[in-house]
Amino acid sequence: MTLLTPTTTPTTPPAPRARPSAARRSWRALSPYAYIAPFFTLFAAFGLFPLLYTAFVSLYRVELQTPGEMEWRGLGNYAALFSDTYFWTSLRNTFTIGVLSTVPQLAMALGLAHLLNYRLRARTFFRTAMLLPYATSVAAATLVFAQLFGRDFGIVNYLLGLVGIAPVDWQTGTVASQIAVSSIVVWRWTGYNALIYLAGMQTIPAELYEAAEMDGASRWRQFLHVTLPGLRPTIVFTTVVSTIGATQLFGEPLLFEGSVSGGISHQYQTLGLYMYEQGWGFFHLGRAAAIAWVMFLLILTLVGANALIARRRSRKESAR
């Protein structure tokens, strides 16, 4: 009996691959930077440079009529700013209007998103209608609300008169005017934030709601113990964005009465209006630049505080 041994055919080794050229290797290394270069170029030209130049101008006395003549003041613009009572008034107004507009706005947006998260008829129509106030221009919305809050012929005072409340001077009173300005912000941004919350709710697994329902939890308890914890990052995001928007509030108080001073006694003048008044009303560009940098530092402080609070809460929950 003979054993047959398999025959093996010699295999030729694969040809070595040609090494890419030096130009191609350089392009592979630099191509990611080339793709992101347009963004950083535009950011440096229209974001970083104006920010740094504003800080530079804030150290000089610069007038709008003669922008080429600059006189060194150091921190003089900031010292004059902090000694001005109208600056502290505008800072206080910015804080109160921000609270009056942000808290109801986010609370209403959360409630609307919770309702739209259920299977309702014409859900697409309601979701689209939420964006209509956001799509409306600031000028049109403010002019309409100025008519609604008119002292003599406004609809708001007419409705208050039906329940026996005397007419309110919405443009002269401090609290009344701030409520009127805040209502414009609430009307414009509630639907926008509601859609953000709705998108966040749809990412929460349905199994969590089913488990909570099997445990006998009502819809309110499901909202407290399932929806809110799942929406915590979204709530932090909307709070930060709304805080930045409230600090930069400008169009609504400017067009509400058409005055850069924010009323007769500066009762609703925000930091944005105060900066505009100093720069284009009194022609003090150096002081206006100082106000811009104070606003920038204020925004950084508020955003950092929100981030710190959110991080501490997440650490406490993870420790549990």
Side-chain angles (χ1 to χ4, degrees), residues 160-183:
L160 293 177
L162 295 179
V163 295
I165 300 177
V168 179
D169 193 350
W170 297 100
Q171 294 183 344
T172 304
T174 300
V175 178
S177 60
Q178 292 180 2
I179 291 176
V181 173
S182 300
S183 64

Side-chain angles (χ1 to χ4, degrees), residues 15-288:
R17 298 177 60 183
R19 295 183 61 185
S21 61
R24 181 171 295 182
R25 291 198 304 269
S26 300
W27 170 248
R28 288 180 179 177
L30 298 177
S31 58
Y33 302 98
Y35 290 131
I36 64 176
F39 166 77
F40 284 100
T41 302
L42 293 175
F43 173 74
F46 299 101
L48 185 60
F49 173 74
L51 183 66
L52 297 178
Y53 186 73
T54 302
F56 172 76
V57 172
S58 67
L59 303 177
Y60 289 84
R61 182 193 301 274
V62 186
E63 301 298 326
L64 184 62
Q65 303 92 331
T66 57
E69 300 178 4
M70 304 177 67
E71 177 185 349
W72 173 259
R73 291 201 64 190
L75 299 179
N77 286 325
Y78 294 93
L81 185 66
F82 294 140
S83 62
D84 189 359
T85 58
Y86 291 130
F87 166 75
W88 298 107
T89 300
S90 62
L91 180 61
R92 184 179 63 251
N93 294 339
T94 302
F95 176 78
T96 54
I97 294 176
V99 172
L100 289 173
S101 60
T102 301
V103 175
Q105 173 193 152
L106 297 183
M108 293 171 60
L110 193 60
L112 290 174
H114 185 63
L115 292 177
L116 291 176
N117 196 31
Y118 290 100
R119 294 183 179 180
L120 301 176
R121 293 182 179 179
R123 286 187 302 174
T124 304
F125 169 76
F126 288 116
R127 293 176 182 179
T128 305
M130 288 291 179
L131 282 179
L132 291 180
Y134 172 71
T136 308
S137 66
V138 179
T142 306
L143 291 177
V144 170
F145 271 82
Q147 297 298 321
L148 293 177
F149 285 99
R151 185 186 61 181
D152 298 324
F153 304 103
I155 297 179
V156 176
N157 278 341
Y158 172 76
L159 296 177
L160 293 177
L162 295 179
V163 295
I165 300 177
V168 179
D169 193 350
W170 297 100
Q171 294 183 344
T172 304
T174 300
V175 178
S177 60
Q178 292 180 2
I179 291 176
V181 173
S182 300
S183 64
I184 307 173
V185 182
V186 171
W187 181 82
R188 290 193 68 240
W189 291 95
T190 297
Y192 175 83
N193 289 311
L195 292 184
I196 294 179
Y197 287 148
L198 179 61
M201 289 178 183
Q202 292 178 349
T203 61
I204 301 175
E207 293 81 3
L208 298 178
Y209 291 99
E210 294 175 358
E213 188 174 358
M214 291 179 62
D215 290 339
S218 61
R219 286 190 174 183
W220 174 246
R221 290 191 173 274
Q222 293 178 22
F223 176 77
L224 290 179
H225 300 287
V226 179
T227 304
L228 286 183
L231 279 182
R232 183 169 288 109
T234 309
I235 294 174
V236 172
F237 170 76
T238 54
T239 303
V240 170
V241 173
S242 300
T243 302
I244 295 174
T247 308
Q248 298 176 337
L249 194 63
F250 176 76
E252 290 84 350
L254 174 64
L255 298 174
F256 183 66
E257 193 182 5
S259 173
V260 296
S261 60
I264 300 176
S265 57
H266 300 253
Q267 65 268 17
Y268 60 90
Q269 185 183 46
T270 59
L271 285 175
L273 272 183
Y274 181 69
M275 179 183 65
Y276 184 84
E277 182 184 37
Q278 292 294 322
W280 284 263
F282 301 147
F283 310 124
H284 303 322
L285 292 184
R287 187 174 296 186

